[in-house]
Amino acid sequence: CKGKSSRMKSETENRVAIVTGSSRGIGAEIAKTLAKNKIKVVINYNRSEDQANKLKKEIEGFGGECLLVKANLRNQNEILNLIEKTIEAYNRLDIIVNNASEKINIKEIQDLTWNDFETHIDMQVKAPFLLVKNSLEYLKKSPDPRIINIITSAVLEKPASKMGDYLTAKSALLALSKIFALELAKFNIKVNMVSPDLVDTELTSFISPNMKEIIARSKPLKRLTTKEDVAKVVLSLCLPEAESLSGAHLPGSDNLVI
């Protein structure tokens, strides 16, 4: 096992990844997992500066390398600055993980406004589009460029109620991801998707502990998907073994295949 871990690290060493929304939750776990495998990680945050600094110290504590960049991904100029800071620091970009998400507000469709939809669409569609589009000149130079978009299992199943704005935006990201995979293949850029189901993070804090327990008991493994589960799937899509995989939509949980 130790030999396998060392081999994985040597295969990913020196590569650079931007992970959006990575100061906390699933994004932070993805950042740590990539950094543990010698990938240099750009930690993107907007409001959670304290958590971003704490994550930076943790990564540097185990010998990883990372860069903090504050950027509101709903702002095109700040996305451009995120890319610029990455290139200034590392002079390359190999991996983009589009993970960032806005807070989920539970509202029935008649109570939603277009602004609610726009907030999520900006984060799930506009931001990934602008980040990828403006990073293409650098991704094309990478020997093994990857894009990984975090979706949600809720777009594949019966949709949860009172989440119409969020799920509409995630569904659009799913479609955009497929277009990325199709149209960027000529540049050897592999684009894949990961769809976790319920993960116990701040984003899902509106779900009661009792409901989370009910959901856990309904799953084959009798537990909720963890941040670590999702991060490991993302890492697997960054490895050389996944070089022929593009346009794939992988579950980040155990109940999507049963």
Side-chain angles (χ1 to χ4, degrees):
C1 292
K2 185 176 180 181
K4 181 179 180 182
S5 176
S6 299
R7 180 176 60 82
M8 287 171 60
K9 290 177 181 178
S10 67
E11 290 171 340
T12 55
E13 196 166 3
N14 296 321
R15 297 171 76 194
V16 176
I18 292 176
V19 183
T20 67
S22 50
S23 63
R24 54 187 177 173
I26 291 173
E29 195 62 41
I30 292 171
K32 284 191 289 185
T33 300
L34 297 185
K36 285 176 181 176
N37 285 273
K38 300 301 182 183
I39 295 173
K40 298 176 177 67
V41 179
V42 179
I43 299 168
N44 158 245
Y45 70 97
N46 184 22
R47 295 178 289 269
S48 305
E49 185 172 4
D50 289 344
Q51 289 168 292
N53 280 309
K54 182 179 178 181
L55 176 61
K56 184 175 188 292
K57 288 180 181 179
E58 183 178 355
I59 289 174
E60 291 176 343
F62 59 68
E65 187 172 345
C66 62
L67 171 72
L68 296 186
V69 181
K70 183 181 187 298
N72 177 358
L73 298 178
R74 298 183 67 199
N75 183 301
Q76 180 170 351
N77 288 332
E78 294 193 31
I79 291 174
L80 295 176
N81 182 64
L82 170 61
I83 299 167
E84 182 180 344
K85 294 293 184 184
T86 300
I87 300 305
E88 283 179 0
Y90 298 120
N91 198 34
R92 63 184 291 173
L93 176 59
D94 305 277
I95 301 163
I96 293 175
V97 181
N98 286 303
N99 164 79
S101 185
E102 289 284 1
K103 180 181 178 182
I104 300 173
N105 294 307
I106 301 304
K107 294 181 182 180
E108 292 191 352
I109 196 73
Q110 66 267 24
D111 299 318
L112 287 169
T113 65
W114 177 245
N115 185 64
D116 293 322
F117 279 88
E118 194 170 43
T119 295
H120 286 291
I121 290 169
D122 279 355
M123 188 60 73
Q124 300 299 333
V125 184
K126 178 183 176 182
F129 166 71
L130 290 174
L131 179 56
V132 169
K133 177 180 172 62
N134 289 286
S135 297
L136 280 179
E137 64 176 295
Y138 308 109
L139 291 173
K140 289 177 185 178
K141 296 176 184 177
S142 169
D144 192 13
R146 312 286 176 98
I147 298 170
I148 300 157
N149 293 336
I150 307 301
I151 318 291
T152 170
S153 66
V155 304
L156 305 175
E157 307 165 338
K158 177 183 177 182
S161 62
K162 302 181 182 179
M163 296 170 62
D165 49 352
Y166 172 74
L167 294 182
T168 296
K170 281 292 192 183
S171 297
L173 177 57
L174 174 59
L176 180 62
S177 301
K178 293 177 181 180
I179 303 240
F180 280 162
L182 180 66
E183 298 189 4
L184 299 182
K186 62 188 174 185
F187 305 121
N188 197 38
I189 299 173
K190 286 87 173 186
V191 184
N192 294 294
M193 299 147 275
V194 177
S195 277
D197 61 358
L198 177 63
V199 180
D200 192 8
T201 65
E202 187 176 329
L203 189 68
T204 61
S205 60
F206 61 89
I207 301 174
S208 71
N210 182 59
M211 180 55 67
K212 288 178 180 177
E213 178 61 28
I214 291 172
I215 293 171
R217 289 200 303 266
S218 72
K219 292 161 56 68
L221 295 180
K222 307 301 180 187
R223 67 170 176 84
L224 293 179
T225 301
T226 67
K227 295 176 288 186
E228 292 80 5
D229 293 333
V230 181
K232 288 174 184 176
V233 175
V234 171
L235 173 63
S236 73
L237 291 171
C238 297
L239 297 176
E241 286 81 356
E243 65 182 350
S244 63
L245 198 63
S246 191
H249 191 177
L250 304 184
S253 57
D254 65 326
N255 67 337
L256 291 183
V257 294
I258 297 178

